[in-house]
Amino acid sequence: MSAAGPPDPVVLAQEAARRLRLPLPTPRHSPDLRLPDGRPATVVGEHTWFWTAPEDWRPQTERVQAGEVWAEVTAIPVRLSMTPGLGQPVASCAGPGTPYERSFGLHAASPDCDVVYEQASVDQPGAMVTAEWSITWQVTWQGWTGSAPTGGELAPMTSRAQARFAVAEAQALRTH
């Protein structure tokens, strides 16, 4: 009967990846209005900025060790995406997005993450849309075989969160 050899660091890296708890995005958008009935809303035809909280956008690590063999996985956020709903295409950017501030001005496009809704959500359930924010994570690992360093890349990971809001039409009144 032969004794089992040392564990494979790749197996430890896969276990570390399974244990990794990635933060969910914190859905934020602007315009972020309230309709008279209290529902949150954005506006058709306006640049809807989207972003996530800065604390969601930090590398995450997890380490697994068996004897002198170990593997440490690092997940780095690389892309924020928003699936806006209403059949519109996914919008993505290479960062956490820029929170809207009044100093950017009304009707301004986001410097990185925005979507323009082309129709209202009046024909949707509850007259609201369900949008999904997702963070894509690049995952690498490094480890020790017991005699030499090793490492590599694992499949990207994704964390997701949803937000529900109305996409409302607004009318402007111009006076002279």
Side-chain angles (χ1 to χ4, degrees):
M1 187 166 171
S2 64
D8 184 344
V10 174
V11 172
L12 296 181
Q14 292 167 341
E15 176 61 26
R18 276 193 294 279
R19 293 183 185 181
L20 200 57
R21 295 291 169 247
L22 299 175
L24 301 178
T26 305
R28 301 278 191 257
H29 65 89
S30 180
D32 186 8
L33 311 170
R34 292 283 166 197
L35 297 178
D37 64 8
R39 289 178 297 153
T42 190
V43 181
V44 171
E46 285 291 333
H47 290 279
T48 297
W49 295 38
F50 66 93
W51 66 93
T52 189
E55 58 269 19
D56 302 336
W57 201 264
R58 295 191 190 343
Q60 305 294 314
T61 60
E62 183 70 37
R63 183 180 173 121
V64 172
Q65 187 160 352
E68 62 180 26
V69 179
W70 58 269
E72 183 173 277
V73 169
T74 301
I76 298 172
V78 294
R79 184 172 62 248
L80 177 66
S81 300
M82 179 199 190
T83 304
L86 297 177
Q88 291 197 212
V90 175
S92 297
C93 51
T98 302
Y100 177 78
E101 295 177 14
R102 286 184 178 197
S103 62
F104 289 110
L106 289 176
H107 317 295
S110 167
D112 47 15
C113 301
D114 81 12
V115 63
V116 177
Y117 280 96
E118 298 170 3
Q119 66 186 49
S121 61
V122 294
D123 61 346
Q124 299 298 306
M128 301 194 38
V129 66
T130 299
E132 182 179 86
W133 277 243
S134 60
I135 300 173
T136 302
W137 303 81
Q138 179 183 32
V139 185
T140 58
W141 69 278
Q142 60 182 8
W144 181 257
T145 64
S147 60
T150 186
E153 241 181 87
L154 297 175
M157 297 173 81
T158 305
S159 57
R160 296 178 171 87
Q162 294 182 337
R164 284 187 48 79
F165 49 88
V167 180
E169 293 182 295
Q171 297 194 4
L173 176 64
R174 178 178 281 180
T175 60
H176 296 293

